[in-house]
């Protein structure tokens, strides 16, 4: 991958070089440290790399905006917890012709809970309950959270046609 990156740099293909670097970090993040828990800061860095690769892959221009309470950056969450939510935005929420595709990620601490909201300004969909979802991503998130945190976690989905979707993840605020 490093050789491909340098070849891209030599030929002036900086976007390809940046994507290779992001892909390398994604692979390292996926395979390093078998610990299931990472800091929010590490998870957000992973999401940035993931978005870089997906933007290159789909020739899209999805921007990620963060509103992060600084005291939550060192809180620990399940590794790759947010990736399936962001992936859903890339896969289903946005039209390529749309001029501005945005995913907002907000993280706050409310008492002993960490509340993470991932919201997009995409197409939205008719959400009819977790049991009606056909994909595995969101159900997998909920199962992983329940296995690790028990009933002290939650996943809420709100979606409005042509106005976007928000997914709210609630987990214990672990440091």
């Amino acid at each position: 991958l490093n050789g491909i990156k340098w070849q891209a740099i030599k030929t002036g293909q900086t976007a390809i070089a940046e994507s290779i670097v992001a892909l390398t970090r994604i692979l390292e993040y996926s395979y390093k440290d078998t610990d299931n828990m990472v800091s929010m800061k590490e998870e957000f860095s992973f999401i940035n790399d993931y978005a870089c690769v997906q933007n290159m892959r789909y020739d899209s221009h999805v921007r990620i905006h963060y509103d992060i309470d600084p005291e939550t950056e060192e809180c620990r969450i399940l590794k790759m917890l947010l990736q399936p939510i962001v992936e859903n935005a890339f896969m289903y929420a946005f039209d390529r012709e749309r001029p501005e595709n945005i995913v907002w990620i907000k993280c706050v601490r409310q008492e002993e809970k960490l509340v993470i909201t991932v919201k997009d300004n995409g197409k939205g969909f008719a959400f009819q309950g977790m049991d009606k979802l056909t994909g595995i991503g969101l159900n997998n998130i909920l199962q992983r959270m329940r296995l690790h945190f028990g009933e002290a976690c939650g996943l809420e989905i709100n979606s409005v046609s042509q106005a976007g979707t928000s997914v709210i993840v609630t987990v214990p605020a672990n440091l």
Side-chain angles (χ1 to χ4, degrees), residues 94-128:
F94 301 124
D95 292 321
R96 292 177 203 243
E97 295 78 33
R98 187 182 182 106
E100 193 168 40
N101 299 315
I102 303 172
V103 173
W104 293 273
I105 300 177
K106 180 177 183 175
C107 184
V108 296
R109 188 173 181 160
Q110 295 178 351
E111 297 174 17
E112 297 303 312
K113 299 279 186 187
L114 196 60
V115 180
I116 308 158
T117 304
V118 181
K119 182 179 178 186
D120 66 62
N121 65 337
K123 295 184 265 188
F125 68 101
F127 179 67
Q128 300 172 346

Side-chain angles (χ1 to χ4, degrees), residues 137-154:
L138 294 174
N139 283 311
N140 186 31
I141 289 171
L142 187 56
Q143 288 176 358
R144 286 180 62 215
M145 289 189 327
R146 286 193 176 147
L147 281 171
H148 195 81
F149 300 114
E151 294 300 315
C153 62

Side-chain angles (χ1 to χ4, degrees), residues 128-140:
Q128 300 172 346
M130 289 296 289
D131 59 327
K132 302 286 190 227
L133 292 176
T134 57
I136 61 168
L138 294 174
N139 283 311
N140 186 31

Side-chain angles (χ1 to χ4, degrees), residues 22-131:
L23 178 59
T24 301
R25 286 193 301 249
I26 287 171
L27 293 171
E28 288 173 352
Y29 184 79
S30 299
Y31 292 105
K32 76 173 185 178
D33 301 328
T34 56
D35 186 11
N36 284 333
M37 301 292 283
V38 295
S39 71
M40 290 299 301
K41 189 175 185 177
E42 290 173 294
E43 186 76 353
F44 296 143
S45 179
F46 170 71
I47 293 298
N48 284 336
D49 290 333
Y50 177 79
C52 177
V53 170
Q54 292 296 11
N55 276 323
M56 174 64 80
R57 177 181 179 196
Y58 293 110
D59 192 31
S60 58
H61 304 286
V62 176
R63 293 183 299 146
I64 310 286
H65 289 283
Y66 294 96
D67 180 8
I68 309 302
D69 181 346
E71 78 174 44
T72 66
E73 286 185 347
E74 296 306 319
C75 288
R76 300 188 63 76
I77 63 166
L78 291 169
K79 186 185 223 179
M80 292 194 263
L81 184 69
L82 304 179
Q83 182 272 335
I85 301 168
V86 175
E87 179 178 10
N88 283 347
F90 273 91
M91 299 293 294
Y92 307 114
F94 301 124
D95 292 321
R96 292 177 203 243
E97 295 78 33
R98 187 182 182 106
E100 193 168 40
N101 299 315
I102 303 172
V103 173
W104 293 273
I105 300 177
K106 180 177 183 175
C107 184
V108 296
R109 188 173 181 160
Q110 295 178 351
E111 297 174 17
E112 297 303 312
K113 299 279 186 187
L114 196 60
V115 180
I116 308 158
T117 304
V118 181
K119 182 179 178 186
D120 66 62
N121 65 337
K123 295 184 265 188
F125 68 101
F127 179 67
Q128 300 172 346
M130 289 296 289
D131 59 327

